[in-house]
Amino acid sequence: KRSVLSIIETNKDEVYLAKRVFLAYLISRSQRTRETLLQIYEEIAEEEKVSSSTVKNAYRKHSPNLKQKFTELGIIIKIKKSKTSRSY
């Protein structure tokens, strides 16, 4: 069984990786480079000396919370696409 401190440290590391992916993705979108998530995972994995699957799993686990926080802060804006609003 893992200690509480070990679990907390792992969670902190995962959140850090997820934030790096999220920010790199937002920057690539804003600069119109359209870098894929796979490319971002690999770049960050190489820089942090972890596997790309570790980065990917951290992002998948923590990205919903990050997206919510960034939306609440007004950093990203959700655009709702309605199926009924069509121009004729």
Side-chain angles (χ1 to χ4, degrees), residues 14-29 35-45 47-48 52 54-60 63 66 70:
E14 289 175 348
V15 170
Y16 169 75
L17 292 172
K19 283 180 182 178
R20 289 213 44 206
V21 171
F22 193 68
L23 291 174
Y25 183 72
L26 288 177
I27 290 167
S28 76
R29 297 281 301 214
E35 201 171 6
T36 66
L37 279 174
L38 183 58
Q39 291 170 318
I40 293 170
Y41 296 151
E42 291 172 356
E43 288 172 14
I44 292 172
E47 292 170 12
E48 297 294 329
S52 60
T54 298
V55 177
K56 176 181 164 184
N57 291 338
Y59 180 71
R60 285 189 171 176
S63 65
L66 290 174
F70 276 67

PDB file of all heavy atoms in Angstrom, residues 14-29 35-45 47-48 52 54-60 63 66 70:
ATOM      1  N   GLU A  14       1.256  14.665 -11.820  1.00  0.00           N
ATOM      2  CA  GLU A  14       0.281  14.499 -12.894  1.00  0.00           C
ATOM      3  C   GLU A  14      -0.360  15.833 -13.277  1.00  0.00           C
ATOM      4  O   GLU A  14      -0.519  16.142 -14.456  1.00  0.00           O
ATOM      5  CB  GLU A  14      -0.819  13.515 -12.483  1.00  0.00           C
ATOM      6  CG  GLU A  14      -0.374  12.081 -12.406  1.00  0.00           C
ATOM      7  CD  GLU A  14      -1.461  11.166 -11.881  1.00  0.00           C
ATOM      8  OE1 GLU A  14      -2.492  11.666 -11.362  1.00  0.00           O
ATOM      9  OE2 GLU A  14      -1.285   9.943 -11.974  1.00  0.00           O
ATOM     10  N   VAL A  15      -0.726  16.618 -12.284  1.00  0.00           N
ATOM     11  CA  VAL A  15      -1.349  17.917 -12.547  1.00  0.00           C
ATOM     12  C   VAL A  15      -0.364  18.821 -13.276  1.00  0.00           C
ATOM     13  O   VAL A  15      -0.730  19.525 -14.225  1.00  0.00           O
ATOM     14  CB  VAL A  15      -1.858  18.567 -11.239  1.00  0.00           C
ATOM     15  CG1 VAL A  15      -2.284  20.011 -11.455  1.00  0.00           C
ATOM     16  CG2 VAL A  15      -3.014  17.756 -10.660  1.00  0.00           C
ATOM     17  N   TYR A  16       0.901  18.788 -12.872  1.00  0.00           N
ATOM     18  CA  TYR A  16       1.936  19.585 -13.531  1.00  0.00           C
ATOM     19  C   TYR A  16       2.044  19.211 -15.014  1.00  0.00           C
ATOM     20  O   TYR A  16       2.061  20.087 -15.892  1.00  0.00           O
ATOM     21  CB  TYR A  16       3.278  19.379 -12.824  1.00  0.00           C
ATOM     22  CG  TYR A  16       4.458  19.936 -13.575  1.00  0.00           C
ATOM     23  CD1 TYR A  16       4.690  21.311 -13.620  1.00  0.00           C
ATOM     24  CD2 TYR A  16       5.329  19.090 -14.258  1.00  0.00           C
ATOM     25  CE1 TYR A  16       5.772  21.825 -14.317  1.00  0.00           C
ATOM     26  CE2 TYR A  16       6.410  19.594 -14.953  1.00  0.00           C
ATOM     27  CZ  TYR A  16       6.626  20.967 -14.978  1.00  0.00           C
ATOM     28  OH  TYR A  16       7.688  21.463 -15.676  1.00  0.00           O
ATOM     29  N   LEU A  17       2.094  17.920 -15.306  1.00  0.00           N
ATOM     30  CA  LEU A  17       2.178  17.467 -16.700  1.00  0.00           C
ATOM     31  C   LEU A  17       0.933  17.876 -17.483  1.00  0.00           C
ATOM     32  O   LEU A  17       1.030  18.338 -18.623  1.00  0.00           O
ATOM     33  CB  LEU A  17       2.373  15.953 -16.754  1.00  0.00           C
ATOM     34  CG  LEU A  17       3.703  15.410 -16.241  1.00  0.00           C
ATOM     35  CD1 LEU A  17       3.673  13.881 -16.168  1.00  0.00           C
ATOM     36  CD2 LEU A  17       4.858  15.886 -17.097  1.00  0.00           C
ATOM     37  N   ALA A  18      -0.229  17.707 -16.875  1.00  0.00           N
ATOM     38  CA  ALA A  18      -1.481  18.060 -17.540  1.00  0.00           C
ATOM     39  C   ALA A  18      -1.532  19.558 -17.847  1.00  0.00           C
ATOM     40  O   ALA A  18      -1.961  19.960 -18.935  1.00  0.00           O
ATOM     41  CB  ALA A  18      -2.667  17.654 -16.673  1.00  0.00           C
ATOM     42  N   LYS A  19      -1.071  20.392 -16.912  1.00  0.00           N
ATOM     43  CA  LYS A  19      -1.043  21.840 -17.151  1.00  0.00           C
ATOM     44  C   LYS A  19      -0.111  22.177 -18.308  1.00  0.00           C
ATOM     45  O   LYS A  19      -0.432  23.030 -19.134  1.00  0.00           O
ATOM     46  CB  LYS A  19      -0.581  22.577 -15.895  1.00  0.00           C
ATOM     47  CG  LYS A  19      -1.628  22.688 -14.825  1.00  0.00           C
ATOM     48  CD  LYS A  19      -1.080  23.428 -13.617  1.00  0.00           C
ATOM     49  CE  LYS A  19      -2.093  23.521 -12.519  1.00  0.00           C
ATOM     50  NZ  LYS A  19      -1.552  24.188 -11.315  1.00  0.00           N
ATOM     51  N   ARG A  20       1.029  21.517 -18.365  1.00  0.00           N
ATOM     52  CA  ARG A  20       1.966  21.780 -19.457  1.00  0.00           C
ATOM     53  C   ARG A  20       1.350  21.440 -20.799  1.00  0.00           C
ATOM     54  O   ARG A  20       1.485  22.190 -21.763  1.00  0.00           O
ATOM     55  CB  ARG A  20       3.260  20.978 -19.262  1.00  0.00           C
ATOM     56  CG  ARG A  20       4.093  21.501 -18.126  1.00  0.00           C
ATOM     57  CD  ARG A  20       5.564  21.369 -18.297  1.00  0.00           C
ATOM     58  NE  ARG A  20       6.053  21.737 -19.598  1.00  0.00           N
ATOM     59  CZ  ARG A  20       7.172  21.257 -20.127  1.00  0.00           C
ATOM     60  NH1 ARG A  20       7.911  20.417 -19.455  1.00  0.00           N
ATOM     61  NH2 ARG A  20       7.574  21.632 -21.328  1.00  0.00           N
ATOM     62  N   VAL A  21       0.670  20.300 -20.875  1.00  0.00           N
ATOM     63  CA  VAL A  21       0.018  19.898 -22.127  1.00  0.00           C
ATOM     64  C   VAL A  21      -1.062  20.903 -22.489  1.00  0.00           C
ATOM     65  O   VAL A  21      -1.136  21.370 -23.636  1.00  0.00           O
ATOM     66  CB  VAL A  21      -0.597  18.477 -22.014  1.00  0.00           C
ATOM     67  CG1 VAL A  21      -1.458  18.148 -23.224  1.00  0.00           C
ATOM     68  CG2 VAL A  21       0.491  17.427 -21.836  1.00  0.00           C
ATOM     69  N   PHE A  22      -1.903  21.248 -21.544  1.00  0.00           N
ATOM     70  CA  PHE A  22      -3.017  22.148 -21.798  1.00  0.00           C
ATOM     71  C   PHE A  22      -2.530  23.505 -22.289  1.00  0.00           C
ATOM     72  O   PHE A  22      -3.042  24.045 -23.270  1.00  0.00           O
ATOM     73  CB  PHE A  22      -3.849  22.290 -20.522  1.00  0.00           C
ATOM     74  CG  PHE A  22      -5.170  22.943 -20.738  1.00  0.00           C
ATOM     75  CD1 PHE A  22      -6.159  22.309 -21.467  1.00  0.00           C
ATOM     76  CD2 PHE A  22      -5.432  24.186 -20.201  1.00  0.00           C
ATOM     77  CE1 PHE A  22      -7.396  22.911 -21.664  1.00  0.00           C
ATOM     78  CE2 PHE A  22      -6.657  24.797 -20.395  1.00  0.00           C
ATOM     79  CZ  PHE A  22      -7.642  24.162 -21.124  1.00  0.00           C
ATOM     80  N   LEU A  23      -1.518  24.057 -21.626  1.00  0.00           N
ATOM     81  CA  LEU A  23      -0.985  25.356 -22.027  1.00  0.00           C
ATOM     82  C   LEU A  23      -0.304  25.286 -23.388  1.00  0.00           C
ATOM     83  O   LEU A  23      -0.468  26.184 -24.215  1.00  0.00           O
ATOM     84  CB  LEU A  23      -0.028  25.890 -20.969  1.00  0.00           C
ATOM     85  CG  LEU A  23      -0.692  26.297 -19.662  1.00  0.00           C
ATOM     86  CD1 LEU A  23       0.351  26.671 -18.621  1.00  0.00           C
ATOM     87  CD2 LEU A  23      -1.671  27.433 -19.870  1.00  0.00           C
ATOM     88  N   ALA A  24       0.446  24.218 -23.631  1.00  0.00           N
ATOM     89  CA  ALA A  24       1.104  24.063 -24.932  1.00  0.00           C
ATOM     90  C   ALA A  24       0.063  23.972 -26.038  1.00  0.00           C
ATOM     91  O   ALA A  24       0.243  24.546 -27.125  1.00  0.00           O
ATOM     92  CB  ALA A  24       1.993  22.828 -24.934  1.00  0.00           C
ATOM     93  N   TYR A  25      -1.035  23.283 -25.772  1.00  0.00           N
ATOM     94  CA  TYR A  25      -2.096  23.149 -26.766  1.00  0.00           C
ATOM     95  C   TYR A  25      -2.756  24.505 -27.031  1.00  0.00           C
ATOM     96  O   TYR A  25      -2.977  24.879 -28.190  1.00  0.00           O
ATOM     97  CB  TYR A  25      -3.130  22.127 -26.292  1.00  0.00           C
ATOM     98  CG  TYR A  25      -4.213  21.871 -27.294  1.00  0.00           C
ATOM     99  CD1 TYR A  25      -3.945  21.149 -28.460  1.00  0.00           C
ATOM    100  CD2 TYR A  25      -5.498  22.348 -27.097  1.00  0.00           C
ATOM    101  CE1 TYR A  25      -4.939  20.915 -29.403  1.00  0.00           C
ATOM    102  CE2 TYR A  25      -6.502  22.116 -28.033  1.00  0.00           C
ATOM    103  CZ  TYR A  25      -6.211  21.401 -29.178  1.00  0.00           C
ATOM    104  OH  TYR A  25      -7.195  21.187 -30.094  1.00  0.00           O
ATOM    105  N   LEU A  26      -3.056  25.257 -25.962  1.00  0.00           N
ATOM    106  CA  LEU A  26      -3.661  26.576 -26.134  1.00  0.00           C
ATOM    107  C   LEU A  26      -2.734  27.511 -26.905  1.00  0.00           C
ATOM    108  O   LEU A  26      -3.178  28.257 -27.787  1.00  0.00           O
ATOM    109  CB  LEU A  26      -4.001  27.200 -24.778  1.00  0.00           C
ATOM    110  CG  LEU A  26      -5.173  26.601 -24.020  1.00  0.00           C
ATOM    111  CD1 LEU A  26      -5.328  27.295 -22.668  1.00  0.00           C
ATOM    112  CD2 LEU A  26      -6.456  26.676 -24.816  1.00  0.00           C
ATOM    113  N   ILE A  27      -1.458  27.464 -26.605  1.00  0.00           N
ATOM    114  CA  ILE A  27      -0.493  28.315 -27.303  1.00  0.00           C
ATOM    115  C   ILE A  27      -0.408  27.935 -28.772  1.00  0.00           C
ATOM    116  O   ILE A  27      -0.404  28.799 -29.645  1.00  0.00           O
ATOM    117  CB  ILE A  27       0.888  28.239 -26.619  1.00  0.00           C
ATOM    118  CG1 ILE A  27       0.827  28.944 -25.264  1.00  0.00           C
ATOM    119  CG2 ILE A  27       1.975  28.848 -27.496  1.00  0.00           C
ATOM    120  CD1 ILE A  27       2.017  28.683 -24.364  1.00  0.00           C
ATOM    121  N   SER A  28      -0.360  26.641 -29.064  1.00  0.00           N
ATOM    122  CA  SER A  28      -0.273  26.217 -30.470  1.00  0.00           C
ATOM    123  C   SER A  28      -1.522  26.628 -31.242  1.00  0.00           C
ATOM    124  O   SER A  28      -1.441  27.028 -32.399  1.00  0.00           O
ATOM    125  CB  SER A  28      -0.032  24.716 -30.589  1.00  0.00           C
ATOM    126  OG  SER A  28      -1.199  23.980 -30.338  1.00  0.00           O
ATOM    127  N   ARG A  29      -2.677  26.567 -30.593  1.00  0.00           N
ATOM    128  CA  ARG A  29      -3.919  26.997 -31.257  1.00  0.00           C
ATOM    129  C   ARG A  29      -3.910  28.503 -31.500  1.00  0.00           C
ATOM    130  O   ARG A  29      -4.316  28.960 -32.559  1.00  0.00           O
ATOM    131  CB  ARG A  29      -5.142  26.627 -30.411  1.00  0.00           C
ATOM    132  CG  ARG A  29      -5.357  25.148 -30.199  1.00  0.00           C
ATOM    133  CD  ARG A  29      -5.971  24.492 -31.363  1.00  0.00           C
ATOM    134  NE  ARG A  29      -7.251  25.096 -31.669  1.00  0.00           N
ATOM    135  CZ  ARG A  29      -8.284  24.472 -32.138  1.00  0.00           C
ATOM    136  NH1 ARG A  29      -8.202  23.186 -32.349  1.00  0.00           N
ATOM    137  NH2 ARG A  29      -9.399  25.092 -32.427  1.00  0.00           N
ATOM    138  N   GLU A  35      -0.478  22.185 -33.548  1.00  0.00           N
ATOM    139  CA  GLU A  35       0.297  21.028 -33.105  1.00  0.00           C
ATOM    140  C   GLU A  35      -0.679  20.007 -32.502  1.00  0.00           C
ATOM    141  O   GLU A  35      -1.586  20.368 -31.763  1.00  0.00           O
ATOM    142  CB  GLU A  35       1.298  21.500 -32.046  1.00  0.00           C
ATOM    143  CG  GLU A  35       2.457  20.612 -31.848  1.00  0.00           C
ATOM    144  CD  GLU A  35       3.510  21.249 -30.951  1.00  0.00           C
ATOM    145  OE1 GLU A  35       3.278  22.337 -30.402  1.00  0.00           O
ATOM    146  OE2 GLU A  35       4.559  20.631 -30.820  1.00  0.00           O
ATOM    147  N   THR A  36      -0.494  18.741 -32.798  1.00  0.00           N
ATOM    148  CA  THR A  36      -1.397  17.718 -32.283  1.00  0.00           C
ATOM    149  C   THR A  36      -1.063  17.406 -30.832  1.00  0.00           C
ATOM    150  O   THR A  36       0.054  17.646 -30.371  1.00  0.00           O
ATOM    151  CB  THR A  36      -1.312  16.418 -33.097  1.00  0.00           C
ATOM    152  OG1 THR A  36      -0.022  15.853 -32.915  1.00  0.00           O
ATOM    153  CG2 THR A  36      -1.589  16.668 -34.575  1.00  0.00           C
ATOM    154  N   LEU A  37      -2.036  16.844 -30.138  1.00  0.00           N
ATOM    155  CA  LEU A  37      -1.793  16.445 -28.758  1.00  0.00           C
ATOM    156  C   LEU A  37      -0.689  15.399 -28.693  1.00  0.00           C
ATOM    157  O   LEU A  37       0.129  15.428 -27.778  1.00  0.00           O
ATOM    158  CB  LEU A  37      -3.077  15.916 -28.120  1.00  0.00           C
ATOM    159  CG  LEU A  37      -4.055  16.958 -27.619  1.00  0.00           C
ATOM    160  CD1 LEU A  37      -5.346  16.307 -27.145  1.00  0.00           C
ATOM    161  CD2 LEU A  37      -3.453  17.788 -26.511  1.00  0.00           C
ATOM    162  N   LEU A  38      -0.649  14.501 -29.643  1.00  0.00           N
ATOM    163  CA  LEU A  38       0.394  13.476 -29.656  1.00  0.00           C
ATOM    164  C   LEU A  38       1.783  14.114 -29.721  1.00  0.00           C
ATOM    165  O   LEU A  38       2.698  13.710 -28.994  1.00  0.00           O
ATOM    166  CB  LEU A  38       0.189  12.520 -30.837  1.00  0.00           C
ATOM    167  CG  LEU A  38       1.155  11.349 -30.934  1.00  0.00           C
ATOM    168  CD1 LEU A  38       1.113  10.492 -29.681  1.00  0.00           C
ATOM    169  CD2 LEU A  38       0.841  10.508 -32.153  1.00  0.00           C
ATOM    170  N   GLN A  39       1.939  15.121 -30.574  1.00  0.00           N
ATOM    171  CA  GLN A  39       3.222  15.820 -30.664  1.00  0.00           C
ATOM    172  C   GLN A  39       3.553  16.509 -29.349  1.00  0.00           C
ATOM    173  O   GLN A  39       4.702  16.476 -28.894  1.00  0.00           O
ATOM    174  CB  GLN A  39       3.180  16.866 -31.787  1.00  0.00           C
ATOM    175  CG  GLN A  39       3.119  16.272 -33.171  1.00  0.00           C
ATOM    176  CD  GLN A  39       2.827  17.324 -34.225  1.00  0.00           C
ATOM    177  OE1 GLN A  39       1.985  18.200 -34.030  1.00  0.00           O
ATOM    178  NE2 GLN A  39       3.520  17.239 -35.353  1.00  0.00           N
ATOM    179  N   ILE A  40       2.558  17.115 -28.728  1.00  0.00           N
ATOM    180  CA  ILE A  40       2.764  17.795 -27.456  1.00  0.00           C
ATOM    181  C   ILE A  40       3.144  16.801 -26.369  1.00  0.00           C
ATOM    182  O   ILE A  40       4.064  17.044 -25.581  1.00  0.00           O
ATOM    183  CB  ILE A  40       1.513  18.612 -27.073  1.00  0.00           C
ATOM    184  CG1 ILE A  40       1.324  19.772 -28.059  1.00  0.00           C
ATOM    185  CG2 ILE A  40       1.613  19.132 -25.645  1.00  0.00           C
ATOM    186  CD1 ILE A  40       0.006  20.494 -27.928  1.00  0.00           C
ATOM    187  N   TYR A  41       2.448  15.637 -26.323  1.00  0.00           N
ATOM    188  CA  TYR A  41       2.791  14.608 -25.338  1.00  0.00           C
ATOM    189  C   TYR A  41       4.262  14.214 -25.480  1.00  0.00           C
ATOM    190  O   TYR A  41       4.978  14.097 -24.483  1.00  0.00           O
ATOM    191  CB  TYR A  41       1.955  13.333 -25.539  1.00  0.00           C
ATOM    192  CG  TYR A  41       0.467  13.450 -25.341  1.00  0.00           C
ATOM    193  CD1 TYR A  41      -0.391  12.609 -26.044  1.00  0.00           C
ATOM    194  CD2 TYR A  41      -0.101  14.369 -24.465  1.00  0.00           C
ATOM    195  CE1 TYR A  41      -1.766  12.676 -25.874  1.00  0.00           C
ATOM    196  CE2 TYR A  41      -1.479  14.447 -24.293  1.00  0.00           C
ATOM    197  CZ  TYR A  41      -2.300  13.593 -25.000  1.00  0.00           C
ATOM    198  OH  TYR A  41      -3.654  13.655 -24.830  1.00  0.00           O
ATOM    199  N   GLU A  42       4.679  13.982 -26.711  1.00  0.00           N
ATOM    200  CA  GLU A  42       6.044  13.522 -26.951  1.00  0.00           C
ATOM    201  C   GLU A  42       7.078  14.578 -26.572  1.00  0.00           C
ATOM    202  O   GLU A  42       8.109  14.252 -25.986  1.00  0.00           O
ATOM    203  CB  GLU A  42       6.204  13.086 -28.400  1.00  0.00           C
ATOM    204  CG  GLU A  42       5.429  11.817 -28.709  1.00  0.00           C
ATOM    205  CD  GLU A  42       5.391  11.446 -30.182  1.00  0.00           C
ATOM    206  OE1 GLU A  42       5.909  12.227 -31.011  1.00  0.00           O
ATOM    207  OE2 GLU A  42       4.830  10.392 -30.492  1.00  0.00           O
ATOM    208  N   GLU A  43       6.811  15.832 -26.898  1.00  0.00           N
ATOM    209  CA  GLU A  43       7.741  16.909 -26.557  1.00  0.00           C
ATOM    210  C   GLU A  43       7.906  17.037 -25.043  1.00  0.00           C
ATOM    211  O   GLU A  43       9.023  17.123 -24.533  1.00  0.00           O
ATOM    212  CB  GLU A  43       7.254  18.246 -27.120  1.00  0.00           C
ATOM    213  CG  GLU A  43       7.384  18.369 -28.614  1.00  0.00           C
ATOM    214  CD  GLU A  43       6.720  19.629 -29.157  1.00  0.00           C
ATOM    215  OE1 GLU A  43       6.399  20.536 -28.352  1.00  0.00           O
ATOM    216  OE2 GLU A  43       6.524  19.690 -30.373  1.00  0.00           O
ATOM    217  N   ILE A  44       6.783  17.044 -24.340  1.00  0.00           N
ATOM    218  CA  ILE A  44       6.828  17.198 -22.888  1.00  0.00           C
ATOM    219  C   ILE A  44       7.460  15.973 -22.240  1.00  0.00           C
ATOM    220  O   ILE A  44       8.257  16.100 -21.301  1.00  0.00           O
ATOM    221  CB  ILE A  44       5.423  17.491 -22.334  1.00  0.00           C
ATOM    222  CG1 ILE A  44       4.983  18.882 -22.813  1.00  0.00           C
ATOM    223  CG2 ILE A  44       5.387  17.399 -20.811  1.00  0.00           C
ATOM    224  CD1 ILE A  44       3.553  19.234 -22.516  1.00  0.00           C
ATOM    225  N   ALA A  45       7.154  14.796 -22.748  1.00  0.00           N
ATOM    226  CA  ALA A  45       7.749  13.565 -22.210  1.00  0.00           C
ATOM    227  C   ALA A  45       9.267  13.602 -22.323  1.00  0.00           C
ATOM    228  O   ALA A  45       9.982  13.239 -21.377  1.00  0.00           O
ATOM    229  CB  ALA A  45       7.186  12.348 -22.939  1.00  0.00           C
ATOM    230  N   GLU A  47      11.189  16.306 -22.556  1.00  0.00           N
ATOM    231  CA  GLU A  47      11.706  17.346 -21.664  1.00  0.00           C
ATOM    232  C   GLU A  47      11.683  16.917 -20.199  1.00  0.00           C
ATOM    233  O   GLU A  47      12.607  17.217 -19.445  1.00  0.00           O
ATOM    234  CB  GLU A  47      10.900  18.630 -21.816  1.00  0.00           C
ATOM    235  CG  GLU A  47      11.082  19.313 -23.151  1.00  0.00           C
ATOM    236  CD  GLU A  47      10.092  20.439 -23.382  1.00  0.00           C
ATOM    237  OE1 GLU A  47       9.403  20.857 -22.420  1.00  0.00           O
ATOM    238  OE2 GLU A  47      10.014  20.919 -24.532  1.00  0.00           O
ATOM    239  N   GLU A  48      10.639  16.210 -19.806  1.00  0.00           N
ATOM    240  CA  GLU A  48      10.477  15.808 -18.406  1.00  0.00           C
ATOM    241  C   GLU A  48      11.069  14.434 -18.108  1.00  0.00           C
ATOM    242  O   GLU A  48      11.031  13.986 -16.963  1.00  0.00           O
ATOM    243  CB  GLU A  48       8.987  15.815 -18.029  1.00  0.00           C
ATOM    244  CG  GLU A  48       8.342  17.185 -18.101  1.00  0.00           C
ATOM    245  CD  GLU A  48       8.904  18.157 -17.081  1.00  0.00           C
ATOM    246  OE1 GLU A  48       9.323  17.732 -15.982  1.00  0.00           O
ATOM    247  OE2 GLU A  48       8.919  19.361 -17.386  1.00  0.00           O
ATOM    248  N   SER A  52       5.679   9.097 -22.951  1.00  0.00           N
ATOM    249  CA  SER A  52       4.576   9.884 -23.514  1.00  0.00           C
ATOM    250  C   SER A  52       3.232   9.362 -22.999  1.00  0.00           C
ATOM    251  O   SER A  52       2.283  10.135 -22.869  1.00  0.00           O
ATOM    252  CB  SER A  52       4.615   9.885 -25.043  1.00  0.00           C
ATOM    253  OG  SER A  52       4.517   8.588 -25.541  1.00  0.00           O
ATOM    254  N   THR A  54       2.690   8.378 -19.967  1.00  0.00           N
ATOM    255  CA  THR A  54       2.523   9.003 -18.654  1.00  0.00           C
ATOM    256  C   THR A  54       1.935  10.391 -18.816  1.00  0.00           C
ATOM    257  O   THR A  54       1.006  10.775 -18.093  1.00  0.00           O
ATOM    258  CB  THR A  54       3.883   9.093 -17.922  1.00  0.00           C
ATOM    259  OG1 THR A  54       4.378   7.773 -17.714  1.00  0.00           O
ATOM    260  CG2 THR A  54       3.759   9.811 -16.591  1.00  0.00           C
ATOM    261  N   VAL A  55       2.450  11.148 -19.776  1.00  0.00           N
ATOM    262  CA  VAL A  55       1.949  12.500 -20.034  1.00  0.00           C
ATOM    263  C   VAL A  55       0.507  12.434 -20.521  1.00  0.00           C
ATOM    264  O   VAL A  55      -0.361  13.176 -20.048  1.00  0.00           O
ATOM    265  CB  VAL A  55       2.847  13.228 -21.056  1.00  0.00           C
ATOM    266  CG1 VAL A  55       2.284  14.601 -21.393  1.00  0.00           C
ATOM    267  CG2 VAL A  55       4.275  13.343 -20.544  1.00  0.00           C
ATOM    268  N   LYS A  56       0.237  11.532 -21.441  1.00  0.00           N
ATOM    269  CA  LYS A  56      -1.110  11.370 -22.000  1.00  0.00           C
ATOM    270  C   LYS A  56      -2.115  11.003 -20.899  1.00  0.00           C
ATOM    271  O   LYS A  56      -3.195  11.594 -20.815  1.00  0.00           O
ATOM    272  CB  LYS A  56      -1.081  10.280 -23.072  1.00  0.00           C
ATOM    273  CG  LYS A  56      -2.414   9.932 -23.659  1.00  0.00           C
ATOM    274  CD  LYS A  56      -2.227   8.835 -24.685  1.00  0.00           C
ATOM    275  CE  LYS A  56      -3.509   8.161 -25.042  1.00  0.00           C
ATOM    276  NZ  LYS A  56      -3.308   7.040 -25.960  1.00  0.00           N
ATOM    277  N   ASN A  57      -1.759  10.045 -20.054  1.00  0.00           N
ATOM    278  CA  ASN A  57      -2.664   9.617 -18.983  1.00  0.00           C
ATOM    279  C   ASN A  57      -2.914  10.741 -17.982  1.00  0.00           C
ATOM    280  O   ASN A  57      -4.042  10.916 -17.507  1.00  0.00           O
ATOM    281  CB  ASN A  57      -2.111   8.385 -18.272  1.00  0.00           C
ATOM    282  CG  ASN A  57      -2.139   7.157 -19.152  1.00  0.00           C
ATOM    283  OD1 ASN A  57      -2.889   7.082 -20.113  1.00  0.00           O
ATOM    284  ND2 ASN A  57      -1.295   6.188 -18.832  1.00  0.00           N
ATOM    285  N   ALA A  58      -1.870  11.507 -17.673  1.00  0.00           N
ATOM    286  CA  ALA A  58      -2.030  12.635 -16.751  1.00  0.00           C
ATOM    287  C   ALA A  58      -2.974  13.666 -17.349  1.00  0.00           C
ATOM    288  O   ALA A  58      -3.860  14.194 -16.659  1.00  0.00           O
ATOM    289  CB  ALA A  58      -0.673  13.263 -16.446  1.00  0.00           C
ATOM    290  N   TYR A  59      -2.813  13.961 -18.638  1.00  0.00           N
ATOM    291  CA  TYR A  59      -3.674  14.946 -19.297  1.00  0.00           C
ATOM    292  C   TYR A  59      -5.118  14.461 -19.336  1.00  0.00           C
ATOM    293  O   TYR A  59      -6.048  15.212 -19.024  1.00  0.00           O
ATOM    294  CB  TYR A  59      -3.174  15.236 -20.706  1.00  0.00           C
ATOM    295  CG  TYR A  59      -4.033  16.245 -21.419  1.00  0.00           C
ATOM    296  CD1 TYR A  59      -4.021  17.579 -21.038  1.00  0.00           C
ATOM    297  CD2 TYR A  59      -4.883  15.861 -22.456  1.00  0.00           C
ATOM    298  CE1 TYR A  59      -4.828  18.511 -21.675  1.00  0.00           C
ATOM    299  CE2 TYR A  59      -5.690  16.786 -23.095  1.00  0.00           C
ATOM    300  CZ  TYR A  59      -5.653  18.103 -22.699  1.00  0.00           C
ATOM    301  OH  TYR A  59      -6.462  19.025 -23.316  1.00  0.00           O
ATOM    302  N   ARG A  60      -5.316  13.213 -19.694  1.00  0.00           N
ATOM    303  CA  ARG A  60      -6.685  12.679 -19.762  1.00  0.00           C
ATOM    304  C   ARG A  60      -7.362  12.687 -18.396  1.00  0.00           C
ATOM    305  O   ARG A  60      -8.561  12.908 -18.293  1.00  0.00           O
ATOM    306  CB  ARG A  60      -6.676  11.270 -20.331  1.00  0.00           C
ATOM    307  CG  ARG A  60      -6.444  11.254 -21.809  1.00  0.00           C
ATOM    308  CD  ARG A  60      -6.651   9.880 -22.364  1.00  0.00           C
ATOM    309  NE  ARG A  60      -6.634   9.921 -23.816  1.00  0.00           N
ATOM    310  CZ  ARG A  60      -6.723   8.853 -24.573  1.00  0.00           C
ATOM    311  NH1 ARG A  60      -6.813   7.660 -24.018  1.00  0.00           N
ATOM    312  NH2 ARG A  60      -6.708   8.960 -25.881  1.00  0.00           N
ATOM    313  N   SER A  63      -7.441  16.933 -17.368  1.00  0.00           N
ATOM    314  CA  SER A  63      -7.870  17.989 -18.294  1.00  0.00           C
ATOM    315  C   SER A  63      -9.294  18.502 -18.043  1.00  0.00           C
ATOM    316  O   SER A  63      -9.525  19.713 -18.194  1.00  0.00           O
ATOM    317  CB  SER A  63      -7.713  17.561 -19.755  1.00  0.00           C
ATOM    318  OG  SER A  63      -8.558  16.492 -20.070  1.00  0.00           O
ATOM    319  N   LEU A  66      -8.950  21.174 -15.457  1.00  0.00           N
ATOM    320  CA  LEU A  66      -8.216  22.322 -15.989  1.00  0.00           C
ATOM    321  C   LEU A  66      -9.098  23.148 -16.917  1.00  0.00           C
ATOM    322  O   LEU A  66      -9.114  24.378 -16.838  1.00  0.00           O
ATOM    323  CB  LEU A  66      -6.965  21.866 -16.732  1.00  0.00           C
ATOM    324  CG  LEU A  66      -5.845  21.294 -15.879  1.00  0.00           C
ATOM    325  CD1 LEU A  66      -4.733  20.755 -16.770  1.00  0.00           C
ATOM    326  CD2 LEU A  66      -5.304  22.341 -14.932  1.00  0.00           C
ATOM    327  N   PHE A  70     -10.032  27.073 -16.294  1.00  0.00           N
ATOM    328  CA  PHE A  70      -9.695  28.085 -17.289  1.00  0.00           C
ATOM    329  C   PHE A  70     -10.947  28.772 -17.822  1.00  0.00           C
ATOM    330  O   PHE A  70     -10.929  29.959 -18.121  1.00  0.00           O
ATOM    331  CB  PHE A  70      -8.880  27.480 -18.436  1.00  0.00           C
ATOM    332  CG  PHE A  70      -7.408  27.395 -18.146  1.00  0.00           C
ATOM    333  CD1 PHE A  70      -6.919  26.547 -17.170  1.00  0.00           C
ATOM    334  CD2 PHE A  70      -6.505  28.168 -18.853  1.00  0.00           C
ATOM    335  CE1 PHE A  70      -5.565  26.472 -16.898  1.00  0.00           C
ATOM    336  CE2 PHE A  70      -5.145  28.095 -18.594  1.00  0.00           C
ATOM    337  CZ  PHE A  70      -4.675  27.249 -17.614  1.00  0.00           C
TER     338      PHE A  70
END
